[in-house]
Amino acid sequence: MKKACVIGWPIEHSRSPLIHNYWLKKHGIDATYEKQAIEPENAAQFIAALAVSEFVGCNVTIPHKETAFQAVAETDKIAGRLGAVNTVYVRNGKACGTNTDGEGFIASLHHAYPAFGLKNKAAIIIGAGGAAKAIIGALIDAGVARIGIINRTRARILDLQAQFGSQIIEINETAANDALAACDLLVNTTSLGMEGGTEIALDIQHLKRNALVADIIYVPLETALLAKAKQLGHPVLGGLGMLLHQAVRGFELWFGVKPEVTEELHDLVAADVQKASKQ
Ligand code: NAP
């Protein structure tokens, strides 16, 4: 029987087993997908040994994505660009790594708003961490013309400029309103807005009419930023879709079937998030 897992530290919060076990059942595949709590000092060894283990692969979550990048035998172009791996699969006796966060975001956007084109659009990303980098790379691949970045630590914006070039524009406080007025897609990739945490201070009153507002946080399912955007009449996109869509390629690599992100799966994971919120 095939086995796959998600590794992280801590790992209890992970919804990946819910997603992959839903698809395993749906496709009648005799396999298991489980959580593995792996301490940071053991992560590299676990990943390097995957090729000779009982596992066909694994998902990798915080804080192991960079370690996974170093530990696998091979990485593809996307993982190389990010220096981070979220999906490991075994091929020809080797542990190989890729990163599906960026494609997960784009697929979620297309799924929710099929008519929203990205070519030549202007985006603003709040945040400059790992998830921001994955989404920036995917937006550039999708033809977005320019990407403004708002981030607490300026050095990380400069790093993104050095990596991705002149399409990346630093947005400081004084330029924020003008940039928002010309923006087609605003994405929060910071952890600001998570349940019980600090909210984003950005005022979106001046945001271009009809601009799409996305948040990659999914606990809560609707952040204060999205609630405000909705109130102002903007189309909005929560982070749960990205989580579901980033899981698709791993499942296909491990089990040979491309699974679908159905309404039923969305509702199943959303209910689990809501249940956890009430506890
Ligand atoms: P990361 O690499 O640690 O980056 C965190 C980002 O948040 C940085 O830009 C950081 O700014 C900013 N930030 C954190 N605390 C802040 C504060 N108090 N004030 C201002 N800025 C703050 O993390 P990540 O891996 O990119 O993940 C970011 C978020 O995305 C997390 O909430 C994660 O759960 C979520 N995520 C969701 C999905 C999904 O599938 N929906 C996938 C991946 C990640 P500095 O640079 O100034 O530190």
Side-chain angles (χ1 to χ4, degrees):
M1 188 167 62
K2 283 186 172 181
K3 278 180 85 170
C5 65
V6 55
I7 66 164
W9 186 262
I11 197 61
E12 257 333 290
H13 67 282
S14 175
R15 265 86 191 184
S16 290
L18 200 55
I19 299 168
H20 288 285
N21 284 313
Y22 167 87
W23 283 331
L24 286 173
K25 195 168 163 207
K26 186 144 189 126
H27 292 282
I29 297 170
D30 188 20
T32 63
Y33 184 103
E34 61 194 47
K35 289 175 196 171
Q36 288 272 332
I38 305 289
E39 291 184 53
E41 57 267 36
N42 299 328
Q45 202 203 339
F46 181 92
I47 293 157
L50 208 81
V52 290
S53 76
E54 54 189 340
F55 292 103
V56 292
C58 69
N59 283 123
V60 182
T61 189
I62 291 168
H64 301 326
K65 290 185 187 183
E66 286 80 15
T67 305
F69 177 75
Q70 298 296 339
V72 292
E74 277 175 21
T75 53
D76 64 5
K77 221 171 110 188
I78 299 173
R81 177 162 76 177
L82 306 175
V85 156
N86 77 343
T87 304
V88 181
Y89 56 101
V90 179
R91 282 292 176 282
N92 305 321
K94 287 182 193 162
C96 303
T98 185
N99 194 305
T100 62
D101 277 339
E103 72 191 44
F105 176 78
I106 301 285
S108 166
L109 185 72
H110 287 332
H111 186 93
Y113 297 99
F116 187 87
L118 287 164
K119 221 166 175 43
N120 298 325
K121 293 282 170 67
I124 292 180
I125 306 287
I126 311 168
K133 209 192 242 191
I135 290 171
I136 289 165
L139 288 177
I140 289 174
D141 289 348
V144 164
R146 54 183 197 281
I147 303 175
I149 314 285
I150 298 171
N151 195 51
R152 177 180 60 180
T153 306
R154 182 166 183 248
R156 288 181 104 176
I157 304 180
L158 302 181
D159 287 346
L160 289 172
Q161 278 178 327
Q163 177 167 7
F164 292 102
S166 57
Q167 278 170 284
I168 304 295
I169 298 149
E170 178 184 1
I171 300 179
N172 57 29
E173 239 174 81
T174 45
N177 283 347
D178 286 347
L180 286 167
C183 161
D184 303 294
L185 171 67
L186 175 69
V187 189
N188 173 42
T189 69
T190 70
S191 41
L192 293 175
M194 281 178 77
E195 203 160 71
T198 315
E199 298 297 347
I200 289 183
L202 185 72
D203 179 2
I204 57 166
Q205 291 289 343
H206 298 280
L207 185 59
K208 184 174 175 179
R209 220 177 130 250
N210 293 334
L212 202 156
V213 180
D215 202 321
I216 69 166
I217 287 172
Y218 57 89
V219 184
L221 294 166
E222 184 179 274
T223 59
L225 174 71
L226 293 190
K228 178 73 185 166
K230 225 162 134 180
Q231 195 194 344
L232 293 171
H234 294 280
V236 298
L237 181 70
L240 185 54
M242 175 176 168
L243 179 76
L244 302 177
H245 284 276
Q246 65 75 32
V248 168
R249 196 145 61 88
F251 190 92
E252 189 178 13
L253 286 164
W254 306 323
F255 305 117
V257 180
K258 186 172 183 181
E260 224 187 305
V261 175
T262 59
E263 211 57 40
E264 186 184 37
L265 174 63
H266 181 280
D267 293 350
L268 178 76
V269 183
D272 189 67
V273 169
Q274 265 161 343
K275 193 173 88 190
S277 301
K278 284 182 197 134
Q279 281 168 0

